[in-house]
Amino acid sequence: MDFQTKVELPAGLPPVSHAERILLMGSCFAENMGRLLAENKFRVDMNPFGILYNPLSVSTALVEILKGKVYQEKDLFLYKECWHSPMHHGLFSASSPEEVLEKINTRLSQAHRSVHELDWLMLTFGTAYVYEQKETRQVVSNCHKLPESCFNRRILSVDEIVNEYTSLITSMVARNSHLKVLFTVSPIRHIRDGMHANQLSKAVLLLAIDKLKQRLDYVSYFPSYEIVMDELRDYRFYTEDMLHISPQGIEYIWEKFQSLYMTSATEAWMKRIDKINKTLLHRPADPDSSAYQELMKKTAQERERIERELGISFS
């Protein structure tokens, strides 16, 4: 007996290979997939602005990466003795503006150098709700615990998202004809919105992505949201907060992703890479033994072969 409702997976999608450059942006689900790609030594750049949840923040960040924006102190604000960027995750915040700007501009410069040579742009939307600063009417990526009275909260429309991304992606592909764009919707529920409002938010995101997919041939969709809602319809696949996906659930989605986007040749490389990763993480009882030294020698040789043949680095 089959105790799952299987999600129909798309067919005929272009494969992802180790030779390609990948930029992932969006919610913490993008970080989960990005981490697994990085562990398997794909050429990954992940969330140069930190975790972003709404489509407009993601698109604004992308535009700033494309233009190579350089942040200045006027782009920051001081709150509770800490400097923040409204466009960045709290990981970039610090006690001095110089430190914040150093972290932001170093990361932005890294992303800008490769953005026009991307093969894959993978975007994960978390919520259609946005917070706009009342004074500037600008959508922020992070409120940094400022009082809610500083913001107007609203939900984006389907057309607002579609028009924004049609223009942005079209301009990116015009400059980079081999760019492929993959959208996902985060299966993580935003409980602060309320369960009904969360469902409305996810519906807006799904409808917008579907319209983009119909309009643009190079856009595809990976059904991570549907896989969790249907195939993993059990709280054992969640962490203790009952909102985020457990490591077991993430591994399940990763296997689905791998089956769709990895060729047998790429999977063979991944198995060799995984074997090296596990060997390097192993802590032997006797590191000075001849057997362990021989294992390390063979592992180093295999590592050098893979680095040379794939043009990657384990460091």
Side-chain angles (χ1 to χ4, degrees), residues 99-150:
E99 185 178 349
V100 177
L101 292 173
E102 173 66 23
K103 289 194 284 188
I104 286 175
N105 288 325
T106 297
R107 194 68 186 83
L108 250 172
S109 176
Q110 291 171 351
H112 174 70
R113 285 198 296 269
S114 61
V115 70
H116 296 296
E117 300 174 355
L118 290 176
D119 298 282
W120 282 96
L121 177 62
M122 299 183 180
L123 306 177
T124 300
F125 295 157
T127 178
Y129 284 96
V130 297
Y131 285 83
E132 294 176 334
Q133 290 177 326
K134 285 184 177 179
E135 290 185 5
T136 65
R137 296 200 171 186
Q138 294 297 310
V139 171
V140 301
S141 299
N142 197 309
C143 296
H144 296 291
K145 298 183 179 180
L146 283 166
E148 288 196 25
S149 58
C150 297

Side-chain angles (χ1 to χ4, degrees), residues 205-255:
L205 300 177
L206 291 166
L207 286 168
I209 292 170
D210 191 63
K211 276 196 171 185
L212 286 167
K213 189 166 163 285
Q214 291 176 32
R215 282 189 184 184
L216 305 171
D217 293 338
Y218 37 81
V219 166
S220 60
Y221 172 70
F222 176 67
S224 55
Y225 177 80
E226 292 81 355
I227 289 170
V228 171
M229 293 299 107
D230 287 293
E231 294 190 24
L232 303 184
R233 202 186 316 170
D234 190 312
Y235 276 111
R236 65 187 160 137
F237 295 111
Y238 289 79
T239 57
E240 289 182 1
D241 65 4
M242 299 301 169
L243 298 172
H244 290 79
I245 310 305
S246 70
Q248 185 182 22
I250 292 168
E251 184 63 30
Y252 184 89
I253 298 167
W254 168 250
E255 288 175 1

Side-chain angles (χ1 to χ4, degrees), residues 6 10-11 25 32 46-47 58 68 83 96 119 125 134 161 180 206 210 231 243 245 262 279 286 301:
K6 294 291 184 182
M25 296 180 67
N32 290 329
M46 182 170 54
N47 272 342
V58 174
W83 289 86
S96 72
D119 298 282
F125 295 157
K134 285 184 177 179
I161 299 170
K180 301 171 283 290
L206 291 166
D210 191 63
E231 294 190 24
L243 298 172
I245 310 305
M262 311 302 181
T279 301
D286 182 8
Q301 291 171 343

